Amino acid sequence: MNATVRQSKAVDELMEQASKALAEASYFEAERVCMKAMDRAWALRDYERMARICLPLQEARRQRRMMAVDTRRVYLWKTLPARDATVEAGMYLLQPPLIGMDARVFRELTERKRVATLVLAREPTTKKGTVPIVGVATGPTEVVSIRAYVKPWGDPSVAPPVEWMEEAAEAIGDAAIAKVEKDLGGESPAAWRVDDLLHYLDAHPAHEKLHQSLERECRLAAKEPPVATARRRGNDNPFSF
């Protein structure tokens, strides 16, 4: 058995574990294993396997997001808690002086603690009166961010309603899809769109249509000739670029 076959078999075994975790409603574990499988499949440029990972990954994240939304709790924060503080499940909007990177750090903390959260970061209100929502993905050579501009919810000194948080989370994911279409439409290889969608999912994993777009582009990439050049500098890992 050559190395590629062994690595492909390892991806399949991981997805068997993910399926079992989903069936047992262990959504954090299912997400973790799916991400590990996605990382390995991407290293192989096995776009067909990547496409098959998208649906269970989407489902694990959908369930986790629903658990956060179902609490009906929204927190508006200007400072982060201590790393050893107890974190409640719910929806969190971080605002200045906190930035998008703080939201990412806090989201990853809650994932490690296996606490169901939906975490967003806002920037200062624009001159047009809109609220920028930002997501950030980072790596050794680049920082990629996505933004959506949404209507304010009312009194900025109180937490927004649940519905506003859900709409804002949808808006930033929609903005990521639109950015990929704008930047890489036309004759660009599907493999490049796969890379960008992976990065934007890293910045904002709580968006179902981003997963669906990734699945579609993976299936297209599986049918195209291999791409000689990477989409981004230092693109050795789809989740750390």
Side-chain angles (χ1 to χ4, degrees):
M1 186 183 297
N2 64 37
T4 299
V5 173
R6 285 198 303 271
Q7 292 164 5
S8 297
K9 187 173 184 293
V11 172
D12 294 340
E13 291 171 350
L14 284 170
M15 291 313 299
E16 290 177 6
Q17 296 175 30
S19 296
K20 183 174 183 291
L22 274 176
E24 295 173 349
S26 298
Y27 301 120
F28 286 93
E29 178 64 9
E31 179 183 10
R32 184 191 69 80
V33 177
C34 282
M35 289 295 291
K36 187 175 182 179
M38 184 72 82
D39 196 359
R40 292 188 180 185
W42 184 91
L44 295 169
R45 302 302 192 272
D46 189 335
Y47 295 109
E48 184 62 36
R49 279 184 168 81
M50 290 175 67
R52 296 203 300 267
I53 294 167
C54 289
L55 183 59
L57 177 60
Q58 174 188 328
E59 179 61 15
R61 287 173 164 172
R62 184 179 76 86
Q63 293 290 343
R64 185 161 62 80
R65 186 186 71 246
M66 289 174 59
M67 290 164 61
V69 173
D70 286 348
T71 67
R72 311 305 290 178
R73 294 193 295 260
V74 181
Y75 302 91
L76 182 65
W77 280 0
K78 291 185 177 180
T79 58
L80 288 179
R83 296 185 69 86
D84 59 350
T86 299
V87 177
E88 300 288 341
M91 311 174 79
Y92 291 80
L93 178 63
L94 277 54
Q95 61 178 334
L98 296 177
I99 59 176
M101 183 57 65
D102 295 312
R104 180 188 177 88
V105 168
F106 178 63
R107 187 192 80 216
E108 291 176 343
L109 173 66
T110 65
E111 289 171 355
R112 289 194 297 273
K113 290 177 177 287
R114 301 201 169 190
V115 177
T117 60
L118 173 62
V119 184
L120 300 176
R122 63 158 296 178
E123 295 176 328
T125 303
T126 68
K127 292 181 180 179
K128 293 182 178 180
T130 58
V131 178
I133 305 298
V134 62
V136 177
T138 65
T141 59
E142 293 183 76
V143 174
V144 169
S145 61
I146 50 175
R147 283 177 179 79
Y149 298 86
V150 300
K151 294 180 179 179
W153 65 89
D155 185 349
S157 67
V158 299
V162 170
E163 294 74 18
W164 187 94
M165 290 289 291
E166 291 185 284
E167 291 172 4
E170 283 299 300
I172 192 170
D174 291 346
I177 294 172
K179 183 170 175 55
V180 172
E181 292 173 350
K182 178 182 177 182
D183 292 349
L184 293 171
E187 301 302 318
S188 298
W192 285 7
R193 295 193 291 275
V194 167
D195 284 357
D196 275 24
L197 286 165
L198 283 169
H199 299 330
Y200 293 142
L201 269 173
D202 188 37
H204 183 57
H207 193 265
E208 293 192 53
K209 286 184 287 186
L210 265 175
H211 294 80
Q212 295 161 14
S213 295
L214 176 61
E215 179 185 14
R216 181 174 61 253
E217 296 299 339
C218 284
R219 296 200 183 280
L220 290 174
K223 299 175 182 178
E224 294 181 354
V227 177
T229 56
R231 165 72 173 127
R232 299 181 185 277
R233 302 188 307 275
N235 198 10
D236 297 325
N237 186 303
F239 312 109
S240 179
F241 56 96

